[in-house]
Amino acid sequence: MSIETIFDTMEYGTAPEDRSIALQWIADRGGLLGPYVNGAFCPGRDDLAICNPATGEKLAGLSLCTEDEVKEAVRSARAAQPDWQEAGGPARARVLYALARLMQKHARLLAVMESLDNGKPIRESRDIDIPLAIRHFYHHAGHAQLMPSALSDRVALGVCGQIIPWNFPLLMLAWKIAPALAMGNTVVLKPAEYTPMTAMIFADLCSQAGVPPGVVNIVTGDGSTGAALVDANVDKIAFTGSTSVGRQIQDATAGSGKSLTLELGGKSPYIVFDDADIDSAIEGLVDAIWFNQGQVCCAGSRLLIHEAIADDFHNRLKTRMDKLRIGDPLDKSIDVGAIVDPIQLRQIRELVEGSTAGQTYHAQTPVPEGCFYPPTLITGLHPADRLMQEEIFGPVLVSTTFRTPAEAVEIANNTKYGLAATLWTENINLALEIAPKLVAGVVWVNATNLFDAAAGFGGTRESGFGREGGWEGLQAYSKPSKPLAEPTQITAFTGQGAAAEDIDRTAKLFIGRKQARPDGGYSQAIFSPKGKLLGHAPIANRKDIRNAVQAQLACGWGKITGHLRAQILYYIAENLAAQANRFAERLDAMTGLSAGAEEVQAAVDILFTYAAWADKFEGQAKSVPMRAVALAMREPVGAIAALCSDQNPLLGLVTPMAAALSTGNSITLCASAPFPLAATDFYHILEASDVPAGAVNILTGPQADLAPHLGAHMGLETVWCLSGAPLTEAVQARASSNIKRVWQGAAQDDHASWLEAGTEIKTIWIPYGE
């Protein structure tokens, strides 16, 4: 093609990247790859064929690790972990730094192998995936260096099992391994069966970088290998993948005591207002949905376009789609590469062809034979249509319209997911109004797909929980240095006789700021250690839980300012202090001890402490290596339920309540079963303290009966299990219904952990300047 022809036609020529460097690396290892355990590669077997999705050619054979091989990798990690932790943060930082440098030196090999293995365009591997993976190791080398001073109250979890998907093989590896190693953990990682090649190169680099044997272990295989890792003797499971598999993992780890973080699916809205720069929004949309062939969990796959500009926007978008080039991923002039596997291609086709709603437009661009799918736009859909709700995980954009900003927010949040969102507008006031209302872990303003190691990434709802990146990401790979004692459940005292009061007074539940009779109509007698009848407490059931959660969801507590939350907590403390003697006497009568006065004073102190924190537990503006500000905003997790501890009946009730209210959450408190009268007395304090309806609800009764229903309730975002392992297991067994967080508490004076449990980070990216 001559220069004159190029200028005349404006057609691209090919610009192929040499693949020989990657093929030679495979050939040097005999074309067979096995697990990397205890600092060495195990002999490879040809159990699974690793193929180039663009051509179908076999790249290598891969071992399908057995359960015994997984256990051996975990034993290796377990043996290495104490010495790795004791080596200290600065020593770990040197190793992470060495890994980052080696990855830079072998960046071309990694990029070529990633595109061969995954099918993504080489430009994306070379310019985005590999540099960002390297950035994570550099960034977390810094965290390791600073850990002795900046995180002196945190220690490693132990051995971390990590399972990553096939869409960003090396980047997901970096997101998982870098923070784990920085905090002193050892890891056993399972890459996806489709895309293990860059993980194998990384294992080779670990040996070169001086990573001690056993610190990094990589097991290869399919879902059965991942299941074996979930069942193995690890302290944590970190999973990135589909919501359905995440739900299975949450069920499998219930009651095991393993820490868990899940980064799952998404159906992210891409909102364009009528004042947006349309051409910029379209270029951003190309990146949002056709980056990596749409095989991105946070892809902007739902276009929400202002009705006034919808036709013009769609027409311009179709013109831009027609100019996208599809072909060999190793061609540097290609925009859209290959779908990762024929199975995934078939799923995309079945979803699109199985839908009769809307109008489908395929880009008018040549599509090679093989594992390719053209950029696709489906317009005219209703927000409830299947393709607007289900994750397609391919280069398919679905679209609907809106008329007002309020309607845009309503449609955007009309999904079970909550991973990411994008909004385009030239009105900064509108942007700052809409961003906080979007239910998403990440929000991009006039940009999309911005990521950095310093900024947390993760979702809410059925997009999972936990964050990867930044200071918040380190929480998932560490724990407080002060261990939490396992709470014990106390058996209620028995007795007989009449209550001392002249007039019988049966306490009630406290729901929606009202005293409510229990749905079942039953109550239980509460006796002192000497058998004296102290009173009766209601027995709550599943319907009472439902009523309490409905009151929580109708409450606007999370929308009020931290200052106002503090004032109400101070008010509760004042009113409790005024009734200190009465509460102390009640506590002493129920427990048979003489520590009631001290417990009441401790409860008052806790209320003052969390009142003080209410307007001081702040987010951050993250330092990211680009002209943008990444605002890490702390948001309440939402509706919380707490199974309160039997020890310290009043303090065990007040502490979760104060921590939840301080951070903007509503809470339903399931009081101590043997000592519920402190709770039924306490709601009189709440009634006198201007606590809004639904912000605090109090239930009494056997916690073992309530726990499974709390775990299964779809309206609750998290359950704090503060009364022992058996009840925690009962909640966890049902928590996967909506990918619910389950937290087992922290030491009474570990206020940071309580505040962290009540908040989740929303990262809002705002580009600025040049």
Side-chain angles (χ1 to χ4, degrees), residues 267-271 289 299-304 383 387-389 396-400 411-415 417 420:
K267 193 70 177 177
S268 301
Y270 190 99
I271 309 168
I289 183 58
S301 56
R302 281 191 301 149
L303 173 61
L304 279 54
L387 294 186
M388 289 289 291
Q389 294 293 324
V396 181
L397 175 67
V398 296
S399 178
T400 193
I411 296 172
N413 293 339
N414 182 29
T415 173
Y417 298 111

Side-chain angles (χ1 to χ4, degrees), residues 40-345:
F41 282 101
C42 302
R45 302 186 298 271
D46 198 5
D47 298 329
L48 300 172
I50 306 304
C51 299
N52 178 349
T55 64
E57 66 177 310
K58 182 178 178 180
L59 296 174
L62 187 74
S63 296
L64 174 59
C65 285
T66 64
E67 182 178 349
D68 288 340
E69 288 173 316
V70 171
K71 288 180 178 178
E72 180 58 33
V74 172
R75 281 193 291 268
S76 173
R78 182 70 65 191
Q81 197 274 326
D83 289 343
W84 178 245
Q85 181 170 347
E86 289 299 319
R92 296 195 297 272
R94 300 298 187 273
V95 174
L96 288 167
Y97 178 81
L99 279 170
R101 292 290 289 166
L102 280 168
M103 290 170 72
Q104 281 185 313
K105 293 175 183 177
H106 293 84
R108 183 166 173 270
L109 168 61
L110 290 166
V112 173
M113 188 69 84
E114 197 80 317
S115 290
L116 270 180
D117 196 20
N118 173 273
K120 64 177 62 185
I122 185 66
R123 290 186 297 111
E124 295 178 6
S125 299
R126 180 195 64 200
D127 300 339
I128 300 172
D129 291 27
I130 307 307
L132 188 52
I134 294 167
R135 159 76 174 148
H136 271 266
F137 279 95
Y138 274 128
H139 180 79
H140 286 94
H143 279 305
Q145 183 74 27
L146 298 175
M147 186 179 180
S149 57
L151 295 166
S152 59
D153 59 340
R154 309 287 294 184
V155 295
L157 289 171
V159 177
C160 299
Q162 303 175 323
I163 303 171
I164 59 175
W166 43 258
N167 54 345
F168 292 93
L170 187 67
L171 183 55
M172 292 293 103
L173 176 150
W175 282 18
K176 295 285 191 291
I177 288 183
L181 297 192
M183 293 297 97
N185 303 280
T186 54
V187 302
V188 179
L189 179 134
K190 191 203 87 70
E193 63 266 36
Y194 295 156
T195 56
M197 303 303 293
T198 46
M200 296 294 97
I201 296 176
F202 177 81
D204 196 8
L205 298 182
C206 285
S207 296
Q208 298 178 41
V211 177
V215 170
V216 173
N217 305 271
I218 297 177
V219 293
T220 56
D222 58 13
S224 64
T225 307
L229 181 55
V230 169
D231 291 339
N233 179 30
V234 296
D235 301 295
K236 173 184 174 61
I237 291 293
F239 172 77
T240 297
S242 69
T243 296
S244 60
V245 176
R247 184 171 281 113
Q248 294 173 21
I249 290 174
Q250 191 168 18
D251 288 339
T253 57
S256 67
K258 295 172 183 173
S259 177
L260 183 65
T261 51
L262 300 172
E263 196 264 282
L264 307 176
K267 193 70 177 177
S268 301
Y270 190 99
I271 309 168
V272 183
F273 291 95
D274 59 346
D275 66 341
D277 180 337
I278 293 181
D279 290 331
S280 295
I282 286 175
E283 287 306 308
L285 185 54
V286 168
D287 185 40
I289 183 58
W290 293 304
F291 172 62
N292 197 25
Q293 298 72 252
Q295 299 169 133
V296 184
C297 54
C298 58
S301 56
R302 281 191 301 149
L303 173 61
L304 279 54
I305 181 76
H306 196 285
E307 188 176 79
I309 63 170
D311 290 341
D312 181 34
F313 190 94
H314 288 149
N315 290 335
R316 293 200 211 184
L317 179 59
K318 291 174 184 177
T319 300
R320 182 68 180 90
M321 290 168 60
D322 292 344
K323 295 179 180 178
L324 295 173
R325 303 191 70 208
I326 308 172
D328 181 5
L330 289 180
D331 184 344
K332 291 187 281 291
S333 66
I334 285 300
D335 300 302
V336 180
I339 303 300
V340 71
D341 188 84
I343 294 175
Q344 181 65 20
L345 178 62

Side-chain angles (χ1 to χ4, degrees), residues 510-515 551 686-697:
F510 187 66
I511 298 174
R513 209 169 183 270
K514 296 179 181 179
Q515 297 183 36
L686 298 176
E687 288 175 321
S689 303
D690 292 341
V691 178
V696 181
N697 305 279

Side-chain angles (χ1 to χ4, degrees), residues 714-740:
M714 299 292 284
L716 290 170
E717 295 292 338
T718 184
V719 178
W720 291 355
C721 298
L722 312 174
S723 51
L727 294 180
T728 301
E729 184 174 354
V731 172
Q732 289 177 331
R734 308 285 293 277
S736 69
S737 59
N738 64 335
I739 313 297
K740 191 180 284 90

